[in-house]
Amino acid sequence: MLGLITSLICLVFVAAYIFLKRRYSYWKKLGVPGPEPAMIIGNMKEFISLKFTEPNVMHEWYKEYRNEPYIGYYNFLKPTLFVIDPELIKAITETDFNHFMDHPELITGTESDAVLGFLFNMYGARWKAKRQTFSKLFSPKRLRELSSILKEHNNSLLRQFEEQLKSTDEVELLKIMERHLLKVIISFLYGLDSNQDRERHSKLSELSEIFSRPPGSTIRRYLLFVVFPNLYHKLRLSAFPHLYWDYFNNFTRELLHSRNLKKVEREDLIALIGKMQKEGIPETDRIEHPEAVAHVFGFFIASHHTTMTTVSYVIYQLSLYPQIQDKVRTEVDNVLKGQDAVTYDSVMQMNYLDGVINETLRLYPLLGVLKRTCTESYKINDKLTIPKGMDVTLPAYSCHIDPEYFPEPEKFLPERFTDEQTSEALFMPFGKGPRTCIGKRYSYISMKTVIAKIISEYIILPGTKTRTPLMFDTKTFFITVHPIDGLHVKMQKRVK
Ligand code: HEM
């Protein structure tokens, strides 16, 4: 009996070994170069250790294989293509987008994962239809409303700075921007006033923080899902923690309910969703409750952390480059001409500030790699056809610091963008092509308004806690990485 069990165990091991050997010879058979995989984990060793970020690991591959058009690697068991050739990046994101419409699948289909089913994780024709609908959120009219919301809150931002600067001349930017831009986004998306909705404000702030710095257990559960997606589907296991569904489920119900009671004119997210839940809406456009929850959650999570972090990086960079800061201030002064309020029309005239934001995003792109799934098989050349279902990775961060595309990449030179010195073809902090970030214009308006206001009132300097270079917290699989000790600067009230 013992002999039989031992033989069976041996058989299982041999079968698993043969399976893995065959799996990991996929790229070799096709003659595609790439890093050597390890059994079961493929090329994910550095990710599992949580000591390196995805863009940093991939940048090492990028440097090693810089002269190849692409390489193959294994996302655990899954062969994945890593694209280096700029023409191929352009084809995948733009010209041949129809073959690569989707982001890779991230969710399992359980209730708590349903909260992730927002635009980013929608596929094919459904994504296309919803993308069109939600574009209305960012119409010129709505962006002017955004400008009024920002104007309304700018004075309270300055009060926060004044309050803090009474006891010290240094501030930690991420914390202040988190509070400030949360007020703006919840007003823009949900029509909420943080002064009256303090409880919701602090809960949303807490959830956003947990999302961007998930505990180790969340990361491990998610990793397991990436290795064994089919098992998760079969056993109906969730990859994502339940707390987001629990909160946003009720939050969405309450917002929609109170909107039905009041007559509100604004075309915000809640109004749009409300319209798509009305009787008689065609099946294709209709939004059922779980999808409504996903959009209410998704727009918040995709917008808040990204804008608050980028604004903080820009102010931090300005503290390190006083001449660039002076140039921004001169532009802001010239456009505002002594007026206090920063408006939609005034930020539209601040071109140098656009350059400063772009140069900051070049160095600190929040999604350092972009991903696509092949939705229709795609022939690259006689040797390689990307099969339907294969994921493709595009190295945004590596392109941003490649001297061939951005000469002297280590230098902070906003003029790259304003003097048309650089081709913007490989600049992709907001992604590329039809799947690019839907909130890009929102981001520029909100970031420019806040930065212009700060720069016209304060001189920013490095302080005792300002770190260069920044050290990043690598224990995150979601959205962005954090500077370990925050972003500190010294601020002095400007004498006008
Ligand atoms: C500095 C700020 C921001 C950055 C750097 C950023 C970056 C990105 C990137 C890189 C993508 C993926 C694009 C691709 O795959 O090609 C994306 C997608 C997305 N972003 Fe943003 N984002 C920002 C702000 C916002 C804001 C303010 C909103 C909403 C108000 C938003 C909502 C979304 C959504 C919904 C998607 C998915 C779009 C789709 O799949 O159709 N983002 N963003």
Side-chain angles (χ1 to χ4, degrees):
M1 186 64 183
L2 192 65
L4 187 67
I5 293 174
T6 315
S7 313
L8 271 177
I9 292 173
C10 288
L11 212 65
V12 169
F13 271 105
V14 170
Y17 180 80
I18 293 171
F19 167 78
L20 290 172
K21 263 281 188 227
R22 288 180 103 193
R23 177 53 68 104
Y24 290 133
S25 62
Y26 182 90
W27 290 122
K28 265 208 182 101
K29 273 191 203 148
L30 289 167
V32 176
E36 201 54 44
M39 283 285 167
I40 303 181
I41 54 175
N43 300 104
M44 296 290 112
K45 187 171 151 217
E46 283 88 354
F47 302 97
I48 298 173
S49 73
L50 299 184
K51 287 196 186 122
F52 305 93
T53 64
E54 198 178 21
N56 288 132
V57 175
M58 294 195 170
H59 189 57
E60 293 306 311
W61 300 345
Y62 184 88
K63 283 189 291 186
E64 190 178 342
Y65 298 97
R66 177 64 180 80
N67 295 325
E68 300 288 343
Y70 44 75
I71 60 168
Y73 72 99
Y74 298 88
N75 182 358
F76 296 99
L77 301 176
K78 204 170 176 193
T80 304
L81 194 74
F82 180 83
V83 181
I84 297 170
D85 174 33
E87 290 305 318
L88 193 52
I89 294 178
K90 190 174 157 55
I92 287 170
T93 50
E94 293 177 332
T95 26
D96 295 322
F97 173 74
N98 282 347
H99 293 257
F100 299 94
M101 264 174 76
D102 295 340
H103 287 137
E105 205 174 321
L106 281 178
I107 45 182
T108 63
T110 61
E111 185 187 69
S112 65
D113 287 356
V115 80
L116 286 176
F118 64 103
L119 207 56
F120 195 94
N121 296 318
M122 291 185 93
Y123 310 113
R126 268 187 73 221
W127 164 74
K128 219 173 189 173
K130 292 290 156 50
R131 170 96 190 189
Q132 211 172 8
T133 304
F134 286 119
S135 299
K136 291 181 197 150
L137 274 179
F138 306 99
S139 66
K141 181 169 169 257
R142 281 249 67 214
L143 292 177
R144 280 182 185 275
E145 280 170 26
L146 165 66
S147 204
S148 311
I149 297 171
L150 284 155
K151 205 164 98 187
E152 215 178 286
H153 287 292
N154 261 345
N155 289 336
S156 83
L157 172 67
L158 295 185
R159 277 199 301 279
Q160 263 190 62
F161 279 126
E162 273 165 30
E163 204 47 50
Q164 191 145 346
L165 293 170
K166 278 181 191 163
S167 50
T168 163
D169 59 359
E170 291 191 23
V171 295
E172 199 285 301
L173 294 163
L174 290 168
K175 239 181 236 142
I176 293 196
M177 290 307 159
E178 198 280 320
R179 255 179 274 158
H180 176 58
L181 287 171
L182 182 63
K183 290 180 195 165
V184 176
I185 194 73
I186 67 175
S187 172
F188 180 81
L189 290 178
Y190 314 137
L192 292 178
D193 178 345
S194 334
N195 292 325
Q196 288 163 12
D197 285 287
R198 280 174 196 276
E199 210 178 299
R200 281 167 161 166
H201 180 116
S202 58
K203 188 70 194 172
L204 289 168
S205 168
E206 182 192 323
L207 289 173
S208 159
E209 177 64 17
I210 306 175
F211 184 84
S212 57
R213 289 192 203 218
S217 56
T218 303
I219 300 175
R220 277 189 286 277
R221 188 157 39 152
Y222 209 81
L223 270 177
L224 270 177
F225 162 61
V226 177
V227 191
F228 303 114
N230 294 339
L231 187 75
Y232 269 66
H233 279 288
K234 280 203 183 97
L235 300 178
R236 296 200 54 75
L237 296 173
S238 303
F240 201 60
H242 219 281
L243 76 162
Y244 300 101
W245 173 264
D246 291 344
Y247 183 75
F248 279 91
N249 179 21
N250 290 332
F251 181 60
T252 307
R253 267 190 220 291
E254 285 163 17
L255 289 178
L256 286 164
H257 179 69
S258 63
R259 203 50 83 80
N260 285 340
L261 298 179
K262 293 184 217 154
K263 280 234 166 307
V264 183
E265 294 296 319
R266 277 164 78 160
E267 275 277 293
D268 63 12
L269 180 67
I270 302 306
L272 266 183
I273 293 176
K275 271 189 197 159
M276 288 188 279
Q277 291 195 323
K278 289 224 165 83
E279 293 287 312
I281 289 286
E283 192 69 20
T284 44
D285 296 334
R286 208 177 150 72
I287 289 190
E288 301 300 342
H289 181 68
E291 190 185 326
V293 178
H295 293 304
V296 170
F297 166 79
F299 272 104
F300 169 66
I301 233 61
S303 62
H304 179 46
H305 193 81
T306 44
T307 38
M308 62 153 262
T309 312
T310 306
V311 168
S312 306
Y313 280 134
V314 174
I315 304 284
Y316 163 83
Q317 286 295 97
L318 291 178
S319 79
L320 304 179
Y321 297 91
Q323 282 168 352
I324 293 174
Q325 186 181 151
D326 284 347
K327 221 169 153 182
V328 173
R329 190 169 292 107
T330 304
E331 178 179 77
V332 169
D333 284 352
N334 283 342
V335 170
L336 295 183
K337 294 196 182 78
Q339 281 175 10
D340 242 12
V342 185
T343 61
Y344 178 85
D345 294 313
S346 57
V347 292
M348 287 305 188
Q349 296 169 52
M350 297 175 188
N351 300 329
Y352 187 68
L353 183 50
D354 274 325
V356 171
I357 293 174
N358 286 343
E359 183 65 346
T360 306
L361 280 166
R362 181 181 70 79
L363 294 170
Y364 304 108
L366 302 183
L367 283 188
V369 288
L370 302 175
K371 310 248 171 117
R372 296 289 186 270
T373 290
C374 180
T375 43
E376 241 177 71
S377 77
Y378 183 75
K379 183 171 174 178
I380 297 184
N381 51 40
D382 287 342
K383 285 189 200 145
L384 184 66
T385 294
I386 308 179
K388 185 176 169 177
M390 176 173 281
D391 293 342
V392 175
T393 300
L394 313 168
Y397 174 67
S398 298
C399 292
H400 288 186
I401 56 167
D402 185 330
E404 196 177 310
Y405 310 134
F406 297 93
E408 299 186 284
E410 65 295 341
K411 290 197 175 156
F412 187 66
L413 297 173
E415 284 75 9
R416 293 176 203 279
F417 293 93
T418 51
D419 299 350
E420 288 173 21
Q421 287 174 1
T422 320
S423 134
E424 286 190 27
L426 290 164
F427 177 61
M428 37 195 159
F430 290 96
K432 267 259 163 275
R435 198 99 208 194
T436 191
C437 175
I438 199 172
K440 185 171 164 182
R441 279 183 301 155
Y442 173 105
S443 306
Y444 279 105
I445 288 170
S446 61
M447 296 193 293
K448 286 171 82 178
T449 306
V450 173
I451 297 161
K453 191 69 191 168
I454 295 175
I455 228 64
S456 69
E457 299 290 333
Y458 288 97
I459 311 283
I460 321 289
L461 303 154
T464 52
K465 293 187 194 161
T466 309
R467 270 212 190 210
T468 48
L470 293 170
M471 304 277 285
F472 294 99
D473 185 354
T474 52
K475 288 184 191 58
T476 166
F477 269 67
F478 304 116
I479 319 191
T480 64
V481 277
H482 284 259
I484 281 177
D485 299 319
L487 286 168
H488 296 264
V489 293
K490 184 167 156 182
M491 292 179 78
Q492 280 173 357
K493 187 87 183 138
R494 184 178 169 208
V495 183
K496 287 194 196 170

